[in-house]
Amino acid sequence: MTELLLVVEDDPTLRELLCASLRLAGFAVTPATTGAQALAEVRRERPDLIVLDVMLPDFDGFEVLRRLRRGEPPAPAGPPPVLFLTARDAAEDRIGGLTAGGDDYVTKPFNLEELILRIRAILRRTNGRQPEGRLTVGDLSLDPDSHHVTRGGRTVPLSPTEFSLLRVLMEHAGRVLTRRQLLDLVWHYDFGGDDSIVASYISYLRRKVDTDHPKLIHTVRGTGYVLRRPAR
């Protein structure tokens, strides 16, 4: 099945280039020029992924993502994954985009081939595997079918990338995974991505999953990360 991408970009030249290139790469593409139009298209088209500019004429891409995460518009399967594509290359902007729930952050100017690889990597990790049985580690529970996560009975809202990372950690509970292994298992970066993104997402995940005791996600200094079952 052909994946549908929503490209949100107010620059007409770049928007046309992106749409044409992504169609040539085998995607179906719907364009949008404002944040409000983007939300309307999400409601109408239910895209598989959004390529989202940050600087838009009405409100910025971060606000678009915040509204999607709040359920505007409501989506039974949750909001689609988001790849930010922006000229804002400061570290605080990248951190802000990822913290808001973005799945990747690409700065302009960009390499078109790399952008397509990143899009495909996100789609693989969010759509590529068939649902399996519920995973449980201590009082942490993850349902791959409904994408529902709970800790101690409390619902834990996660972005698609955070969910994929937690799923991998839970599938390998008790086993230490290196950053490079996590980059491959979660991000599928065939072109060799920057493994610092792993540490960032581990931090985001801890803030949501490890607010209670005992802590489940542990750093193994000089090696990687492990999700350990609590001692009985």
Side-chain angles (χ1 to χ4, degrees):
M1 186 178 67
T2 301
E3 290 100 342
L4 173 62
L5 309 183
L6 174 60
V7 174
V8 188
E9 171 60 60
D10 64 327
D11 181 279
T13 302
L14 180 55
R15 184 175 63 251
E16 291 175 12
L17 171 65
L18 279 170
C19 290
S21 300
L22 292 170
R23 288 187 182 109
L24 283 174
F27 300 106
V29 182
T30 295
T33 59
T34 67
Q37 186 182 0
L39 294 173
E41 292 295 345
V42 170
R43 181 181 298 108
R44 186 170 70 90
E45 297 284 357
R46 301 295 185 193
D48 296 293
L49 180 142
I50 305 173
V51 179
L52 182 59
D53 189 15
V54 173
M55 294 181 285
L56 297 170
D58 47 1
F59 46 86
D60 68 25
F62 296 155
E63 178 61 21
V64 172
L65 183 53
R66 281 191 287 269
R67 295 189 187 194
L68 289 172
R69 298 294 181 235
R70 291 199 301 262
E72 305 172 26
V82 169
L83 181 147
F84 282 113
L85 184 63
T86 176
R88 291 171 58 170
D89 59 357
E92 56 266 27
D93 291 320
R94 180 181 177 86
I95 292 169
L98 295 175
T99 303
D103 295 273
D104 209 339
Y105 194 100
V106 177
T107 56
K108 304 172 184 175
F110 57 90
N111 178 283
L112 188 57
E113 182 179 357
E114 179 177 329
L115 175 67
I116 292 170
L117 285 171
R118 286 177 181 261
I119 289 171
R120 286 178 172 155
I122 294 172
L123 290 170
R124 280 199 301 272
R125 70 176 179 261
T126 54
N127 300 329
R129 288 186 289 184
Q130 294 299 314
E132 299 170 358
R134 180 185 296 273
L135 298 171
T136 302
V137 177
D139 62 351
L140 177 65
S141 177
L142 179 149
D143 188 329
D145 193 358
S146 65
H147 277 222
H148 187 241
V149 176
T150 61
R151 175 87 197 264
R154 170 182 59 86
T155 296
V156 181
L158 300 177
S159 73
T161 300
E162 291 166 345
F163 181 89
S164 296
L165 176 57
L166 180 61
R167 177 174 178 166
V168 167
L169 289 170
M170 292 182 72
E171 287 174 339
H172 297 83
R175 175 184 170 188
V176 178
L177 298 172
T178 67
R179 286 188 181 187
R180 299 303 300 181
Q181 286 173 323
L182 288 170
L183 197 65
D184 180 58
L185 291 167
V186 178
W187 280 265
H188 304 284
Y189 275 178
D190 301 327
F191 55 90
D194 179 2
D195 65 7
S196 64
I197 195 172
V198 177
S200 297
Y201 267 93
I202 287 287
S203 176
Y204 306 151
L205 202 54
R206 279 175 167 151
R207 294 174 197 171
K208 296 182 178 183
V209 170
D210 266 352
T211 55
D212 301 321
H213 289 281
K215 304 301 182 184
L216 299 177
I217 302 172
H218 302 272
T219 300
V220 179
R221 192 173 301 277
T223 304
Y225 304 96
V226 59
L227 190 145
R228 291 199 181 107
R229 300 180 186 278
R232 295 186 181 277

